[in-house]
Amino acid sequence: PAMLENNVCFAGRNGTLVFIDMLLKEIVWNKVIDPGKTVQVNTDIECGEHGLFVFSDENVLYAFSPLNGEALFAPVENVSSPPLYYNGFIYFGTREGKLIVMEAGTGIIKKTLSIESIITAKPVHIDGRIYVATENGQLVITDPSAVE
């Protein structure tokens, strides 16, 4: 589950998302992540004021509005890592060995950084830096403003 203020969001094994208001103790919305597919989610949902971000086992990133569960933008394919939400952006790796910085509310790619290997772990933000780990054991540390 993921917490956003007084709300919690759960991803079910049957490909559903449930967003619950914990103060009112009621379901705000409940939806199928990708109609026509069974989407498996085995990582935590990343959330922030701009959206809820779900990384599927099929290497697809989905983005939903916390207000109504509507998709914020089209699913992003060939994603290699769960996303990090930081400061209005999401950071994630691709199967092509790139770190992508995307506007969280729109899906517009703002910056890209080529990495020599596929990013396999969720990026981490610590003390103004973004840390990413790759499948070959490399640790890449970058300033978010340096990614272009």
Side-chain angles (χ1 to χ4, degrees):
M3 295 291 298
L4 180 62
E5 297 176 3
N6 296 315
N7 303 293
V8 65
C9 187
F10 295 92
R13 291 188 180 181
N14 60 353
T16 60
L17 279 181
V18 180
F19 195 73
I20 300 169
D21 183 317
M22 297 302 286
L23 292 179
L24 299 176
K25 298 179 182 168
E26 66 183 27
I27 294 173
V28 176
W29 51 262
N30 182 359
K31 73 173 287 130
V32 174
I33 294 172
D34 194 345
K37 292 171 105 176
T38 300
V39 176
Q40 294 290 316
V41 178
N42 292 319
T43 62
D44 289 336
I45 299 165
E46 186 71 358
C47 60
E49 66 182 292
H50 293 92
L52 305 169
F53 306 95
V54 179
F55 176 62
S56 78
D57 283 0
E58 292 83 28
N59 296 328
V60 178
L61 176 66
Y62 298 90
F64 300 98
S65 167
L67 298 176
N68 56 20
E70 295 297 317
L72 294 174
F73 47 84
V76 179
E77 298 187 0
N78 296 317
V79 174
S80 63
S81 72
L84 164 70
Y85 177 87
Y86 170 69
N87 204 23
F89 296 93
I90 51 175
Y91 297 76
F92 58 90
T94 69
R95 303 292 304 159
E96 293 81 25
K98 295 180 181 180
L99 174 64
I100 303 294
V101 181
M102 182 180 279
E103 283 185 355
T106 65
I108 296 171
I109 295 175
K110 298 305 280 184
K111 301 178 182 185
T112 302
L113 176 66
S114 291
I115 308 287
E116 294 182 15
S117 183
I118 296 172
I119 297 167
T120 54
K122 176 182 172 179
V124 177
H125 176 264
I126 301 172
D127 295 330
R129 302 269 188 233
I130 301 293
Y131 294 74
V132 294
T134 68
E135 70 180 353
N136 68 1
Q138 180 183 15
L139 177 65
V140 177
I141 304 168
T142 186
D143 180 330
S145 65
V147 181
E148 42 179 277

